PDB file of all heavy atoms in Angstrom:
ATOM      1  N   GLU B 295      91.502  67.032  82.299  1.00  0.00           N
ATOM      2  CA  GLU B 295      90.524  67.945  81.726  1.00  0.00           C
ATOM      3  C   GLU B 295      91.012  69.422  81.864  1.00  0.00           C
ATOM      4  O   GLU B 295      90.792  70.259  80.988  1.00  0.00           O
ATOM      5  CB  GLU B 295      89.173  67.717  82.357  1.00  0.00           C
ATOM      6  CG  GLU B 295      88.548  66.424  81.800  1.00  0.00           C
ATOM      7  CD  GLU B 295      87.185  66.081  82.391  1.00  0.00           C
ATOM      8  OE1 GLU B 295      86.727  66.676  83.392  1.00  0.00           O
ATOM      9  OE2 GLU B 295      86.592  65.121  81.864  1.00  0.00           O
ATOM     10  N   MET B 296      91.670  69.718  83.031  1.00  0.00           N
ATOM     11  CA  MET B 296      92.157  71.061  83.200  1.00  0.00           C
ATOM     12  C   MET B 296      93.160  71.480  82.090  1.00  0.00           C
ATOM     13  O   MET B 296      93.038  72.500  81.480  1.00  0.00           O
ATOM     14  CB  MET B 296      92.854  71.186  84.573  1.00  0.00           C
ATOM     15  CG  MET B 296      91.914  71.246  85.747  1.00  0.00           C
ATOM     16  SD  MET B 296      92.990  71.412  87.222  1.00  0.00           S
ATOM     17  CE  MET B 296      91.943  70.564  88.406  1.00  0.00           C
ATOM     18  N   ILE B 297      94.142  70.542  81.872  1.00  0.00           N
ATOM     19  CA  ILE B 297      95.178  70.945  80.893  1.00  0.00           C
ATOM     20  C   ILE B 297      94.599  70.950  79.519  1.00  0.00           C
ATOM     21  O   ILE B 297      95.053  71.776  78.667  1.00  0.00           O
ATOM     22  CB  ILE B 297      96.449  70.020  81.031  1.00  0.00           C
ATOM     23  CG1 ILE B 297      97.581  70.546  80.185  1.00  0.00           C
ATOM     24  CG2 ILE B 297      96.094  68.550  80.647  1.00  0.00           C
ATOM     25  CD1 ILE B 297      98.104  71.889  80.590  1.00  0.00           C
ATOM     26  N   THR B 298      93.613  70.161  79.245  1.00  0.00           N
ATOM     27  CA  THR B 298      92.953  70.163  77.913  1.00  0.00           C
ATOM     28  C   THR B 298      92.287  71.564  77.712  1.00  0.00           C
ATOM     29  O   THR B 298      92.471  72.201  76.637  1.00  0.00           O
ATOM     30  CB  THR B 298      91.880  69.065  77.808  1.00  0.00           C
ATOM     31  OG1 THR B 298      92.470  67.817  78.180  1.00  0.00           O
ATOM     32  CG2 THR B 298      91.306  68.955  76.388  1.00  0.00           C
ATOM     33  N   GLU B 299      91.501  72.007  78.708  1.00  0.00           N
ATOM     34  CA  GLU B 299      90.805  73.242  78.583  1.00  0.00           C
ATOM     35  C   GLU B 299      91.777  74.418  78.547  1.00  0.00           C
ATOM     36  O   GLU B 299      91.557  75.427  77.774  1.00  0.00           O
ATOM     37  CB  GLU B 299      89.812  73.408  79.751  1.00  0.00           C
ATOM     38  CG  GLU B 299      88.663  72.415  79.653  1.00  0.00           C
ATOM     39  CD  GLU B 299      87.948  72.432  78.291  1.00  0.00           C
ATOM     40  OE1 GLU B 299      87.664  73.506  77.757  1.00  0.00           O
ATOM     41  OE2 GLU B 299      87.691  71.326  77.765  1.00  0.00           O
ATOM     42  N   ILE B 300      92.814  74.390  79.300  1.00  0.00           N
ATOM     43  CA  ILE B 300      93.828  75.465  79.281  1.00  0.00           C
ATOM     44  C   ILE B 300      94.468  75.529  77.838  1.00  0.00           C
ATOM     45  O   ILE B 300      94.602  76.620  77.276  1.00  0.00           O
ATOM     46  CB  ILE B 300      94.925  75.256  80.330  1.00  0.00           C
ATOM     47  CG1 ILE B 300      94.362  75.529  81.743  1.00  0.00           C
ATOM     48  CG2 ILE B 300      96.154  76.146  80.039  1.00  0.00           C
ATOM     49  CD1 ILE B 300      95.249  75.161  82.875  1.00  0.00           C
ATOM     50  N   THR B 301      94.785  74.398  77.299  1.00  0.00           N
ATOM     51  CA  THR B 301      95.439  74.353  75.983  1.00  0.00           C
ATOM     52  C   THR B 301      94.493  74.931  74.938  1.00  0.00           C
ATOM     53  O   THR B 301      94.912  75.696  74.057  1.00  0.00           O
ATOM     54  CB  THR B 301      95.849  72.926  75.663  1.00  0.00           C
ATOM     55  OG1 THR B 301      96.708  72.466  76.724  1.00  0.00           O
ATOM     56  CG2 THR B 301      96.629  72.841  74.381  1.00  0.00           C
ATOM     57  N   LYS B 302      93.222  74.544  74.967  1.00  0.00           N
ATOM     58  CA  LYS B 302      92.260  75.103  74.018  1.00  0.00           C
ATOM     59  C   LYS B 302      92.128  76.628  74.138  1.00  0.00           C
ATOM     60  O   LYS B 302      92.068  77.376  73.142  1.00  0.00           O
ATOM     61  CB  LYS B 302      90.842  74.459  74.255  1.00  0.00           C
ATOM     62  CG  LYS B 302      90.761  72.989  73.639  1.00  0.00           C
ATOM     63  CD  LYS B 302      89.794  72.168  74.353  1.00  0.00           C
ATOM     64  CE  LYS B 302      88.336  72.561  74.252  1.00  0.00           C
ATOM     65  NZ  LYS B 302      87.452  71.585  74.955  1.00  0.00           N
ATOM     66  N   ALA B 303      92.098  77.059  75.442  1.00  0.00           N
ATOM     67  CA  ALA B 303      91.983  78.530  75.612  1.00  0.00           C
ATOM     68  C   ALA B 303      93.273  79.242  75.127  1.00  0.00           C
ATOM     69  O   ALA B 303      93.176  80.348  74.565  1.00  0.00           O
ATOM     70  CB  ALA B 303      91.776  78.807  77.146  1.00  0.00           C
ATOM     71  N   GLN B 304      94.387  78.653  75.355  1.00  0.00           N
ATOM     72  CA  GLN B 304      95.652  79.301  74.920  1.00  0.00           C
ATOM     73  C   GLN B 304      95.639  79.441  73.355  1.00  0.00           C
ATOM     74  O   GLN B 304      96.089  80.447  72.798  1.00  0.00           O
ATOM     75  CB  GLN B 304      96.869  78.406  75.274  1.00  0.00           C
ATOM     76  CG  GLN B 304      97.260  78.485  76.778  1.00  0.00           C
ATOM     77  CD  GLN B 304      98.283  77.458  77.127  1.00  0.00           C
ATOM     78  OE1 GLN B 304      98.314  76.323  76.582  1.00  0.00           O
ATOM     79  NE2 GLN B 304      99.073  77.807  78.117  1.00  0.00           N
ATOM     80  N   LEU B 305      95.132  78.422  72.683  1.00  0.00           N
ATOM     81  CA  LEU B 305      95.107  78.430  71.200  1.00  0.00           C
ATOM     82  C   LEU B 305      94.122  79.532  70.708  1.00  0.00           C
ATOM     83  O   LEU B 305      94.428  80.300  69.811  1.00  0.00           O
ATOM     84  CB  LEU B 305      94.727  77.088  70.654  1.00  0.00           C
ATOM     85  CG  LEU B 305      95.899  76.028  70.613  1.00  0.00           C
ATOM     86  CD1 LEU B 305      95.310  74.621  70.467  1.00  0.00           C
ATOM     87  CD2 LEU B 305      96.772  76.343  69.436  1.00  0.00           C
ATOM     88  N   LEU B 306      92.953  79.550  71.319  1.00  0.00           N
ATOM     89  CA  LEU B 306      91.923  80.505  70.970  1.00  0.00           C
ATOM     90  C   LEU B 306      92.485  81.940  71.105  1.00  0.00           C
ATOM     91  O   LEU B 306      92.307  82.795  70.211  1.00  0.00           O
ATOM     92  CB  LEU B 306      90.725  80.313  71.880  1.00  0.00           C
ATOM     93  CG  LEU B 306      89.468  81.123  71.731  1.00  0.00           C
ATOM     94  CD1 LEU B 306      88.725  80.667  70.489  1.00  0.00           C
ATOM     95  CD2 LEU B 306      88.543  80.929  72.954  1.00  0.00           C
ATOM     96  N   THR B 307      93.161  82.143  72.182  1.00  0.00           N
ATOM     97  CA  THR B 307      93.581  83.477  72.542  1.00  0.00           C
ATOM     98  C   THR B 307      94.769  83.923  71.659  1.00  0.00           C
ATOM     99  O   THR B 307      94.852  85.055  71.237  1.00  0.00           O
ATOM    100  CB  THR B 307      93.923  83.540  74.027  1.00  0.00           C
ATOM    101  OG1 THR B 307      92.897  82.901  74.743  1.00  0.00           O
ATOM    102  CG2 THR B 307      94.046  84.986  74.528  1.00  0.00           C
ATOM    103  N   TRP B 308      95.663  82.970  71.395  1.00  0.00           N
ATOM    104  CA  TRP B 308      96.813  83.260  70.524  1.00  0.00           C
ATOM    105  C   TRP B 308      96.267  83.680  69.136  1.00  0.00           C
ATOM    106  O   TRP B 308      96.709  84.713  68.572  1.00  0.00           O
ATOM    107  CB  TRP B 308      97.750  82.077  70.426  1.00  0.00           C
ATOM    108  CG  TRP B 308      98.850  82.379  69.464  1.00  0.00           C
ATOM    109  CD1 TRP B 308     100.044  83.062  69.697  1.00  0.00           C
ATOM    110  CD2 TRP B 308      98.908  82.013  68.101  1.00  0.00           C
ATOM    111  NE1 TRP B 308     100.734  83.141  68.570  1.00  0.00           N
ATOM    112  CE2 TRP B 308     100.113  82.523  67.535  1.00  0.00           C
ATOM    113  CE3 TRP B 308      98.014  81.322  67.229  1.00  0.00           C
ATOM    114  CZ2 TRP B 308     100.499  82.405  66.221  1.00  0.00           C
ATOM    115  CZ3 TRP B 308      98.453  81.203  65.889  1.00  0.00           C
ATOM    116  CH2 TRP B 308      99.596  81.693  65.392  1.00  0.00           C
ATOM    117  N   ARG B 309      95.340  82.943  68.648  1.00  0.00           N
ATOM    118  CA  ARG B 309      94.772  83.295  67.297  1.00  0.00           C
ATOM    119  C   ARG B 309      94.093  84.654  67.369  1.00  0.00           C
ATOM    120  O   ARG B 309      94.163  85.473  66.422  1.00  0.00           O
ATOM    121  CB  ARG B 309      93.792  82.172  66.881  1.00  0.00           C
ATOM    122  CG  ARG B 309      93.031  82.445  65.568  1.00  0.00           C
ATOM    123  CD  ARG B 309      94.020  82.528  64.421  1.00  0.00           C
ATOM    124  NE  ARG B 309      93.324  82.985  63.164  1.00  0.00           N
ATOM    125  CZ  ARG B 309      93.883  83.640  62.160  1.00  0.00           C
ATOM    126  NH1 ARG B 309      95.122  83.924  62.185  1.00  0.00           N
ATOM    127  NH2 ARG B 309      93.192  83.955  61.119  1.00  0.00           N
ATOM    128  N   LEU B 310      93.403  84.943  68.421  1.00  0.00           N
ATOM    129  CA  LEU B 310      92.761  86.221  68.557  1.00  0.00           C
ATOM    130  C   LEU B 310      93.753  87.319  68.537  1.00  0.00           C
ATOM    131  O   LEU B 310      93.568  88.460  68.022  1.00  0.00           O
ATOM    132  CB  LEU B 310      91.885  86.242  69.846  1.00  0.00           C
ATOM    133  CG  LEU B 310      90.960  87.485  70.032  1.00  0.00           C
ATOM    134  CD1 LEU B 310      89.893  87.544  68.929  1.00  0.00           C
ATOM    135  CD2 LEU B 310      90.302  87.431  71.434  1.00  0.00           C
ATOM    136  N   GLY B 311      94.890  87.054  69.237  1.00  0.00           N
ATOM    137  CA  GLY B 311      95.972  88.074  69.277  1.00  0.00           C
ATOM    138  C   GLY B 311      96.528  88.336  67.877  1.00  0.00           C
ATOM    139  O   GLY B 311      96.801  89.508  67.560  1.00  0.00           O
ATOM    140  N   VAL B 312      96.635  87.245  67.051  1.00  0.00           N
ATOM    141  CA  VAL B 312      97.126  87.537  65.694  1.00  0.00           C
ATOM    142  C   VAL B 312      96.153  88.351  64.965  1.00  0.00           C
ATOM    143  O   VAL B 312      96.503  89.343  64.226  1.00  0.00           O
ATOM    144  CB  VAL B 312      97.337  86.128  64.937  1.00  0.00           C
ATOM    145  CG1 VAL B 312      97.672  86.316  63.529  1.00  0.00           C
ATOM    146  CG2 VAL B 312      98.444  85.340  65.647  1.00  0.00           C
ATOM    147  N   LEU B 313      94.840  88.047  65.092  1.00  0.00           N
ATOM    148  CA  LEU B 313      93.776  88.833  64.400  1.00  0.00           C
ATOM    149  C   LEU B 313      93.816  90.327  64.909  1.00  0.00           C
ATOM    150  O   LEU B 313      93.651  91.222  64.103  1.00  0.00           O
ATOM    151  CB  LEU B 313      92.396  88.270  64.663  1.00  0.00           C
ATOM    152  CG  LEU B 313      92.137  86.917  63.977  1.00  0.00           C
ATOM    153  CD1 LEU B 313      90.779  86.313  64.419  1.00  0.00           C
ATOM    154  CD2 LEU B 313      92.143  87.000  62.461  1.00  0.00           C
ATOM    155  N   ARG B 314      94.082  90.525  66.209  1.00  0.00           N
ATOM    156  CA  ARG B 314      94.180  91.891  66.739  1.00  0.00           C
ATOM    157  C   ARG B 314      95.343  92.603  66.146  1.00  0.00           C
ATOM    158  O   ARG B 314      95.237  93.790  65.784  1.00  0.00           O
ATOM    159  CB  ARG B 314      94.301  91.882  68.296  1.00  0.00           C
ATOM    160  CG  ARG B 314      93.114  91.406  69.036  1.00  0.00           C
ATOM    161  CD  ARG B 314      92.132  92.466  69.471  1.00  0.00           C
ATOM    162  NE  ARG B 314      92.732  93.474  70.340  1.00  0.00           N
ATOM    163  CZ  ARG B 314      92.016  94.616  70.709  1.00  0.00           C
ATOM    164  NH1 ARG B 314      90.813  94.819  70.226  1.00  0.00           N
ATOM    165  NH2 ARG B 314      92.623  95.483  71.474  1.00  0.00           N
ATOM    166  N   ASN B 315      96.457  91.863  66.052  1.00  0.00           N
ATOM    167  CA  ASN B 315      97.637  92.556  65.466  1.00  0.00           C
ATOM    168  C   ASN B 315      97.365  92.977  64.040  1.00  0.00           C
ATOM    169  O   ASN B 315      97.930  93.952  63.520  1.00  0.00           O
ATOM    170  CB  ASN B 315      98.822  91.576  65.460  1.00  0.00           C
ATOM    171  CG  ASN B 315      99.541  91.586  66.827  1.00  0.00           C
ATOM    172  OD1 ASN B 315      99.361  92.472  67.645  1.00  0.00           O
ATOM    173  ND2 ASN B 315     100.291  90.524  67.110  1.00  0.00           N
ATOM    174  N   GLU B 316      96.555  92.209  63.351  1.00  0.00           N
ATOM    175  CA  GLU B 316      96.202  92.489  61.909  1.00  0.00           C
ATOM    176  C   GLU B 316      95.052  93.487  61.825  1.00  0.00           C
ATOM    177  O   GLU B 316      94.631  93.814  60.682  1.00  0.00           O
ATOM    178  CB  GLU B 316      95.931  91.207  61.138  1.00  0.00           C
ATOM    179  CG  GLU B 316      97.056  90.287  61.026  1.00  0.00           C
ATOM    180  CD  GLU B 316      96.666  88.859  60.520  1.00  0.00           C
ATOM    181  OE1 GLU B 316      95.501  88.657  60.260  1.00  0.00           O
ATOM    182  OE2 GLU B 316      97.623  88.073  60.273  1.00  0.00           O
TER     183      GLU B 316
END
Side-chain angles (χ1 to χ4, degrees):
E295 286 177 351
M296 285 180 210
I297 190 62
T298 307
E299 292 308 314
I300 287 171
T301 305
K302 282 154 64 179
Q304 286 172 326
L305 280 162
L306 183 71
T307 315
W308 176 81
R309 175 64 186 152
L310 188 63
V312 172
L313 291 173
R314 292 267 301 171
N315 277 342
E316 294 169 356

